Amino acid sequence: MSHNIAYSTADKADVLAYLGSDGNLSADQRRRLDAMRKAAQVTQDDLDRQGVDWGLSLPDALDHLIAGRIDSDAECAGNAYHCAVQHIIDHNASDPAHLGTYSKPSTFFGLVDDEMRRLGVPADLLPHGYLYGGLPGDFPFIPHSIDGYPAIGHLPLAEAEPAAEAYRAVLDRMAPDFRYDVQELIEKLEEEHNEWEYATKNIGWYTQDTLFFKLT
């Protein structure tokens, strides 16, 4: 089974504002929450058609997160909570972009990490670490998905350029099997950095600070 990796940019505070809010939200946030609930139901309907039962519905998982509860004892509750958090991200972020499709992305990027580490890339910039790093540290704990997917990762936008520069510095010395995918990652990180740098300097309302990764 293949897994897709997508990414989008957001202000992490906009996402965090919903978790444990108990409905104490602005009019715009309530409008977004209504859209999240509708999207969660659409996703749940699709899961039902596939015969996938996580023991916790996505609308209920979303309501738990809003209420500040993460206490379902369903075996696959982590899957539902991760998917519900992703709906919150999606409704507060830029349009998602596609990073790649991999049969075993964790294995592949684990090997990329090994190769980059060997070539001197700093540990905090290695891609597996942020692709599978979960939510930012100031977010509440979300139980892991039972089979590892869906998963969420993040990278501060301020680190996109340092990561791209570190990868480009070692690209020619990497094993050929990794170069194409790392080149793609470099280009996407550079593009996101350029857009973030421009918007931060020129758009007064812009506050996005985080790249969120969605692995499904």
Side-chain angles (χ1 to χ4, degrees):
M1 179 179 177
S2 294
H3 296 282
N4 294 310
I5 304 178
Y7 62 94
S8 57
T9 59
D11 183 335
K12 68 176 183 177
D14 289 344
V15 179
L16 184 58
Y18 290 86
L19 304 179
S21 67
D22 203 23
N24 185 21
L25 301 166
S26 69
D28 179 65
Q29 288 170 324
R30 289 195 298 272
R31 177 185 60 78
R32 291 173 189 259
L33 179 56
D34 287 343
M36 293 174 209
R37 287 188 164 126
K38 291 175 183 177
Q41 187 59 60
V42 169
T43 303
Q44 184 61 51
D45 291 344
D46 187 53
L47 291 171
D48 291 343
R49 284 191 292 271
Q50 297 176 56
V52 176
D53 181 7
W54 287 337
L56 175 67
S57 75
L58 290 185
D60 285 347
L62 180 59
D63 284 344
H64 283 197
L65 295 171
I66 300 303
R69 296 172 48 204
I70 311 172
D71 57 1
S72 172
D73 59 3
E75 182 179 8
C76 297
N79 296 54
Y81 286 133
H82 268 79
C83 195
V85 170
Q86 189 60 57
H87 278 300
I88 297 175
I89 294 170
D90 288 347
H91 285 81
N92 287 277
S94 63
D95 291 337
H98 184 67
L99 177 62
T101 301
Y102 300 87
S103 59
K104 297 180 179 179
S106 183
T107 299
F108 177 78
F109 282 102
L111 293 172
V112 170
D113 274 16
D114 290 343
E115 181 77 344
M116 288 185 173
R117 190 180 294 110
R118 180 182 68 83
L119 295 169
V121 173
D124 60 346
L125 297 179
L126 297 174
H128 189 282
Y130 57 77
L131 291 174
Y132 287 88
L135 294 164
D138 49 352
F139 278 55
F141 170 74
I142 303 295
H144 295 294
S145 302
I146 194 68
D147 56 359
Y149 299 91
I152 296 172
H154 79 280
L155 179 71
L157 277 163
E159 295 181 14
E161 183 180 43
E165 289 178 344
Y167 303 165
R168 192 173 291 284
V170 301
L171 184 63
D172 290 345
R173 291 181 283 142
M174 294 189 72
D177 289 349
F178 301 136
R179 289 178 191 164
Y180 174 81
D181 295 275
V182 172
Q183 177 67 46
E184 288 286 300
L185 181 55
I186 289 169
E187 291 176 0
K188 289 175 169 60
L189 290 174
E190 289 176 337
E191 179 179 351
E192 292 302 328
H193 165 76
N194 290 337
E195 291 184 4
W196 171 72
E197 185 176 55
Y198 174 84
T200 299
K201 292 178 179 178
N202 296 286
I203 302 176
W205 52 261
Y206 183 89
T207 59
Q208 293 186 356
D209 56 11
T210 306
L211 266 169
F212 284 99
F213 295 91
K214 174 182 179 179
L215 299 94
T216 57

